[in-house]
Amino acid sequence: MAGTGGPVFDAARRKHMAAAFLEGGGHYHLVRPGYPEDSLTWLLETAGSVQDVVDIGAGTGKYTQLLALHNFSMTAVDPSADMLAQLDAELPQVTTVVGTAEKLLLPDESMDLAVVAQAWHWVDPLAASTEIARVLRPGGTLGLIWNQLDVGLPWVHRLARIMHAGDVHKADFSPQIGPEFFPAQPHTTRWSQQRTAEEIIDLAKSRSYYLRATDQVRDKVITNLQWYLYEHLEHAPGESIELPYSSQTWRAQKR
């Protein structure tokens, strides 16, 4: 399935940008949003009996927190030991493994469900598909999830551009998944989170564009955000702002 929309990197650029998340787990966990429960509910509708779950690119455990509401045996995989330390502190019942989607270091056919939340654009999708299919049991489910600012609203669209939220997908986006899986089905959940202008600025500081930028570019991003939120939109410091999201969830069964 060809991908259309979202960030497009060659292998070297993808690794360079993804390395921005090897550190800074505490800040990431503090400012990044969670995920709507509807996303996981929909994923499980066709998954059958699920006992063993792997969260790939789990980071600090934002999606793992949803999985923890169920009685699953859970493994979280991420290339960043720093991120996984945050996850382990909050979800000690989850087994953590330093690894990548392309090299999971898990036994063959050991999982019923594999989820990749906010991380598929950082992996080689064909190599990752092959590796995930290896660890999934027959008929197992792959779930791909993205939290995105709801850019269908003009003011949010402009905010995303100022933040350089490059992972906002086009309307015809579909993730690239290998031939080991049946075609993926999409589901969208619209939800919102209350945030202050200061917290929105902190959110921008957790994005790969900002983390990999020069000090001059970082200063420009923050200055533009301050102008937009405080002067153009006229929000007061500390004022609660409803920040709309559109979460995309895709599910694909192993052939």
Side-chain angles (χ1 to χ4, degrees):
M1 203 182 287
T4 53
V8 179
F9 303 127
D10 60 25
R13 179 66 171 167
R14 182 174 64 240
K15 290 179 180 179
H16 172 75
M17 296 301 287
F21 299 112
L22 291 176
E23 298 179 352
H27 180 256
Y28 185 100
H29 192 66
L30 180 66
V31 304
R32 284 292 180 115
Y35 292 86
E37 190 171 352
D38 175 71
S39 167
L40 181 57
T41 299
W42 180 80
L43 264 185
L44 295 175
E45 282 180 357
T46 59
S49 177
V50 174
Q51 294 181 331
D52 300 295
V53 178
V54 58
D55 187 352
I56 303 165
T60 63
K62 289 293 186 176
Y63 204 83
T64 327
Q65 290 174 332
L66 276 186
L67 297 168
L69 299 175
H70 298 260
N71 192 30
F72 299 141
S73 174
M74 293 184 295
T75 301
V77 177
D78 197 88
S80 169
D82 182 62
M83 291 277 185
L84 290 177
Q86 295 292 321
L87 187 155
D88 187 57
E90 293 208 7
L91 300 169
Q93 72 273 32
V94 177
T95 300
T96 56
V97 177
V98 175
T100 66
E102 298 89 347
K103 191 173 183 179
L104 291 171
L105 305 176
L106 298 173
D108 292 356
E109 297 188 358
S110 58
M111 297 290 163
D112 302 302
L113 172 67
V115 300
V116 186
Q118 215 74 17
W120 194 247
H121 51 284
W122 297 126
V123 309
D124 179 329
L126 296 181
S129 294
T130 300
E131 178 69 344
I132 292 169
R134 180 186 66 79
V135 304
L136 280 176
R137 295 184 176 116
T141 300
L142 168 63
L144 305 180
I145 306 99
W146 280 271
N147 251 346
Q148 302 184 113
L149 293 170
D150 191 349
V151 296
L153 300 172
W155 79 267
V156 181
H157 183 262
R158 188 171 184 182
L159 174 68
R161 290 177 64 86
I162 296 172
M163 291 174 65
H164 291 268
D167 56 352
V168 175
H169 297 147
K170 297 177 182 178
D172 59 352
F173 169 79
S174 60
Q176 185 179 19
I177 300 174
E180 298 86 355
F181 293 88
F182 288 106
Q185 300 171 294
H187 179 73
T188 300
T189 309
R190 285 186 166 78
W191 63 290
S192 62
Q193 189 176 46
Q194 295 296 320
R195 283 291 180 259
T196 64
E198 295 81 8
E199 288 171 329
I200 293 173
I201 291 170
D202 269 344
L203 176 63
K205 293 178 181 179
S206 76
R207 304 196 66 86
S208 59
Y209 177 86
Y210 182 90
L211 293 171
R212 282 306 196 189
T214 64
D215 289 342
Q216 183 180 8
V217 171
R218 289 183 179 187
D219 288 344
K220 183 178 180 180
V221 170
I222 300 307
T223 297
N224 288 342
L225 278 173
Q226 289 171 336
W227 169 82
Y228 186 60
L229 292 165
Y230 296 125
E231 296 183 37
H232 184 74
L233 295 179
E234 299 183 335
H235 290 296
E239 176 189 346
S240 183
I241 303 168
E242 185 174 1
L243 188 60
Y245 280 92
S246 175
S247 291
Q248 293 182 350
T249 308
W250 298 78
R251 67 186 181 204
Q253 280 191 303
K254 178 180 172 180
R255 292 184 185 272

